[in-house]
Amino acid sequence: MTEINRRTVLAAGAGLGGLPFTRARAQAANTIKIALLCDFSGTYRDVTGPNELACVRQAAAEFANRGFNIEVTFADNQNRADVGSNIARTWFDRDGVDCLVDGGASSVALAVNDVVREKNKVYVNSSSATSDLTGRACSPNLVHWTYDTYMLAKSTGGATVRAGGDSWYFITADYAFGHALERDTANFVRQAGGRVLGQVRTPFPGTSDFSSFLLQAQTSRAKVIGLANAGSDTINCIKQAAEFGLTRRGIKLASLLMFMPDVHSLGLEATQGLICTETFYWDLNDRTRAFTNRVRANLQPNVPLCMNHAGGYASVLHYLKAVADMGVAQAKANGAEVVARMKAMPCDDDCFGPGSIRQDGRKLHPAYLFEVKSPAESRGQYDYYKLLQTTAGNDAFRPMAEGNCSLVRS
Amino acid sequence: MLEIIENFLGIPAPLLFGQLLLGLINGAFYAMLSLGLAVIFGLLNIINFTHGAQFMMGAFVAWMLLAWGGLGYWWALLIAPLIVGATGVVIERLMISRLYKLDHLYGLLLTFGIGLIIEGLFRNHFGSSGLPYRIPAELSGAWDLGFMFMPVYRGWVVVFALACCLATWLVIEKTRLGAYLRAATENAALVQAFGVNVPRMITLTYGAGVALAALAGVLAAPIYSVNPQMGTNLIIVVFAVVVIGGMGSILGSVITGFGLGIVEGLTKVFWPEASATVIFVIMAIVLLARPAGLFGRA
């Protein structure tokens, strides 16, 4: 009989403890961790939030059984840059997250972008608007997927000027996103020979009465009021512009960023005839309808899909393709390398169709200009848009040379 | 006269008058909400942080009555405050009544928590982008005032809010019930000794304060997007109004509500970026100069 002394007990304990530990570590090494950061509690919840989480999970589910595990986690950014970057740091430093999805409001995205670059992870952004993400703030670790302010300005702004709206007044949300959208749209208006008569910057978040600002816009005698805001700000503006008779007096509203859930919230009665630009619509073609059917069961009951949700799905899917292509170990070690691989591979998914990612991180795909249907035209649930115009990916976004992105060799 | 204003301020006079009027309209909401808060604080010594959520519930109940029950705006104006007021009674009986002997802070934390829970429940069920609610046909349309286009509905809001404020003030200052209320505020034990059921009076007062919030919510439903966070946006401002007016002072909160609405409206012309902050700047100044508020008793 062998003598049991203290040393053997300790050794046995260490051996037993070590077994599950090494197994867990082996599992972690073969697991890709994806984390979604966006608004789950505020004004942008419906246009990102739970529906986007369902779409990201859909992408992960479609990539199951490819030899590595995928974990999806999420957090609420409260629309605050400091909150967002703190969460991102915790994710990278403590939780071993490999890929951060979205970011939400532009102010948060710009802050998170710096953190991801510092930690050399991957950042796929699906709902932030500011075109600075592929301009002066561009990063080798970032892909900006769904849309940006330049594209909105060119599509919606350009169409409005062509329809005769040559004098503009902006109602602008007073933070990074609003400023970028106003700047990009004003450039297009001036290029097309139009004039910008003024702008008013409204506090964000926390403004719910826009009648003062609408009245200022009306006093400027501009033909078009450009709404450089989003979410419930846009909803309140449209609602109150009708209330104060602006639209009846022939003033046009240019809702520069409007999503399906916004239209759903306002109702067709209030929104019919408005134009807006999205890069995804559930009823666009067979592939988008097939995708919608796949995720439908997991969506919020009263919130239709919009391009941000689709962007969450498609960007994660493309990221996972790159990971599978280069191997998990290498993908976890070097985020910039994964993004380089994503840029080298052609993109194709059910939401946006074939496309590509440019050197500055800009994903290219077509932009669609829609008009909101009248209640009589709409047949069935969420049948809200009719397609007016399609702009090819190459034309829809800002030319790479104009963005001043440091990654682009001139 | 008009020219003098224009030359002096550098903005067109019509714009200025329009902003004054709009400020008055927003002030009507501030006044109604701060009135409810003042009534509750006056008698219960509770700082009711659930007020914003109860304002939001008023708007949502109006929407539910229309969408699920087919009952329009006028019914909502009557029924929604009753329903939401009843939930207030339940909350007071089950939870708040246990805290009267403790410091103000506990009531504040409890009501703040309840507010967050209510908001979260609504957000989970209805999403964040809001629901459509139309202006009733009788009040749609607008008057052309020359310097601005004045929607009939906004005029109605000001008149109705003023009437509510006046009615509440009359009840509290001029009726026997109001006398009991004021007496109970001074010395509850003594009033109870005279045979008045003080706990029930307190419960009903809380219910009435909550009903006022819900009534403001119904008024707001056709103007603002009916969404779960609509109360949060307003309530912080309303608290500043109550503090400036003097905690618990009914007349103070009404006058301050309308006054600050106008100040905020003017800020939106001269310095739009600061319009969300100006009320808090005033609050800080008032607290430094008169800690009890403009109309409060120290």
Side-chain angles (χ1 to χ4, degrees), chain A residues 130-152:
Chain A
T130 178
S131 56
D132 288 346
L133 283 172
T134 53
R136 59 174 178 80
C138 75
S139 146
N141 298 70
L142 164 76
V143 174
H144 193 192
W145 196 274
T146 313
Y147 70 97
D148 66 24
T149 49
Y150 181 98
M151 169 279 241
L152 297 171

Side-chain angles (χ1 to χ4, degrees), chain B residues 14-64:
Chain B
L15 186 59
L16 192 66
F17 286 132
Q19 297 301 339
L20 283 174
L21 200 58
L22 289 173
L24 206 62
I25 296 166
N26 283 337
F29 282 107
Y30 296 158
M32 273 195 78
L33 283 169
S34 52
L35 183 66
L37 278 178
V39 168
I40 291 171
F41 183 78
L43 192 68
L44 282 73
N45 264 338
I46 287 279
I47 306 168
N48 183 32
F49 254 93
T50 321
H51 221 65
Q54 281 150 345
F55 164 78
M56 175 271 287
M57 281 168 82
F60 266 93
V61 170
W63 178 85
M64 289 174 202

Side-chain angles (χ1 to χ4, degrees), chain B residues 92-93 97 100 192 196-205:
Chain B
E92 198 276 341
R93 277 289 83 200
S97 60
Y100 290 137
Q192 192 143 17
V196 178
N197 187 344
V198 174
R200 190 177 67 193
M201 205 159 71
I202 288 178
T203 305
L204 291 178
T205 307

Side-chain angles (χ1 to χ4, degrees), chain A residues 321-387:
Chain A
K321 283 179 188 168
V323 170
D325 194 45
M326 60 197 288
V328 174
Q330 213 182 339
K332 287 178 86 74
N334 190 341
E337 207 178 313
V338 182
V339 171
R341 185 67 63 99
M342 289 172 75
K343 289 174 184 171
M345 295 167 65
C347 312
D348 190 25
D349 58 77
D350 281 353
C351 298
F352 300 90
S356 60
I357 301 168
R358 243 170 23 188
Q359 207 184 339
D360 59 359
R362 177 71 255 161
K363 162 79 189 333
L364 298 178
H365 44 234
Y368 307 102
L369 183 71
F370 294 109
E371 185 184 315
V372 180
K373 288 183 173 178
S374 68
E377 288 170 308
S378 173
R379 304 171 194 287
Q381 198 193 23
Y382 301 151
D383 178 23
Y384 292 164
Y385 285 166
K386 56 188 172 199
L387 183 62

Side-chain angles (χ1 to χ4, degrees), chain A residues 90-102:
Chain A
T90 315
W91 273 343
F92 296 136
D93 291 345
R94 195 191 65 191
D95 304 338
V97 163
D98 303 297
C99 172
L100 194 147
V101 185
D102 203 355

Side-chain angles (χ1 to χ4, degrees), chain B residues 45-50 99 103-115 239:
Chain B
N45 264 338
I46 287 279
I47 306 168
N48 183 32
F49 254 93
T50 321
L99 300 180
D103 191 74
H104 288 335
L105 197 60
Y106 291 91
L108 185 152
L109 288 174
L110 174 71
T111 50
F112 185 60
I114 297 172
F239 269 103

Side-chain angles (χ1 to χ4, degrees), chain A residues 30-319:
Chain A
N30 198 32
T31 300
I32 289 291
K33 287 195 177 172
I34 298 171
L36 170 67
L37 179 70
C38 61
D39 184 357
F40 279 87
S41 64
T43 173
Y44 298 151
R45 174 192 152 104
D46 284 0
V47 298
T48 55
N51 273 11
E52 186 170 3
L53 181 61
C55 289
V56 168
R57 286 193 170 137
Q58 177 67 27
E62 288 176 16
F63 236 85
N65 311 320
R66 300 281 183 98
F68 58 93
N69 308 311
I70 304 166
E71 261 179 48
V72 176
T73 152
F74 65 96
D76 181 12
N77 67 11
Q78 298 174 34
N79 289 325
R80 283 168 51 189
D82 54 335
V83 173
S85 52
N86 274 341
I87 293 172
R89 276 181 198 284
T90 315
W91 273 343
F92 296 136
D93 291 345
R94 195 191 65 191
D95 304 338
V97 163
D98 303 297
C99 172
L100 194 147
V101 185
D102 203 355
S106 292
S107 45
V108 185
L110 290 167
V112 166
N113 189 29
D114 292 338
V115 180
V116 180
R117 186 174 189 169
E118 179 196 320
K119 305 284 178 191
N120 193 19
K121 302 291 181 182
V122 177
Y123 183 17
V124 288
N125 183 305
S126 53
S127 84
S128 309
T130 178
S131 56
D132 288 346
L133 283 172
T134 53
R136 59 174 178 80
C138 75
S139 146
N141 298 70
L142 164 76
V143 174
H144 193 192
W145 196 274
T146 313
Y147 70 97
D148 66 24
T149 49
Y150 181 98
M151 169 279 241
L152 297 171
K154 186 173 183 183
S155 177
T156 310
T160 310
V161 177
R162 279 196 300 280
D166 55 4
S167 58
W168 285 60
Y169 190 96
F170 288 98
I171 293 180
T172 305
D174 193 13
Y175 75 106
F177 149 67
H179 297 178
L181 187 51
E182 181 200 308
R183 175 197 64 205
D184 288 345
T185 313
N187 282 341
F188 273 105
V189 170
R190 291 199 190 95
Q191 270 173 31
R195 284 176 310 145
V196 176
L197 301 179
Q199 69 281 320
V200 59
R201 302 268 166 87
T202 66
F204 174 90
T207 307
S208 50
D209 187 62
F210 286 87
S211 47
S212 292
F213 306 123
L214 289 163
L215 194 70
Q216 292 180 45
Q218 188 190 346
T219 315
S220 77
R221 303 197 183 285
K223 288 183 192 166
V224 180
I225 299 177
L227 303 179
N229 49 25
S232 51
D233 286 359
T234 305
I235 291 172
N236 277 325
C237 277
I238 293 172
K239 210 169 170 176
Q240 289 161 15
E243 190 195 349
F244 279 82
L246 264 61
T247 28
R248 248 173 301 159
R249 290 185 169 189
I251 297 173
K252 269 199 169 165
L253 291 182
S255 45
L256 295 165
L257 180 51
M258 190 165 70
F259 302 100
M260 274 290 278
D262 301 332
V263 175
H264 181 67
S265 162
L266 277 160
L268 293 183
E269 190 69 45
T271 48
Q272 55 181 312
L274 284 177
I275 58 170
C276 64
T277 302
E278 291 210 51
T279 50
F280 167 86
Y281 174 49
W282 70 273
D283 201 13
L284 203 59
N285 54 48
D286 288 340
R287 292 184 75 180
T288 56
R289 282 186 286 271
F291 169 76
T292 308
N293 280 330
R294 287 208 298 278
V295 289
R296 179 167 291 153
N298 299 319
L299 299 179
Q300 280 185 282
N302 206 26
V303 182
L305 276 179
C306 70
M307 61 177 167
N308 294 339
H309 307 141
Y313 164 79
S315 58
V316 169
L317 195 71
H318 191 65
Y319 163 72

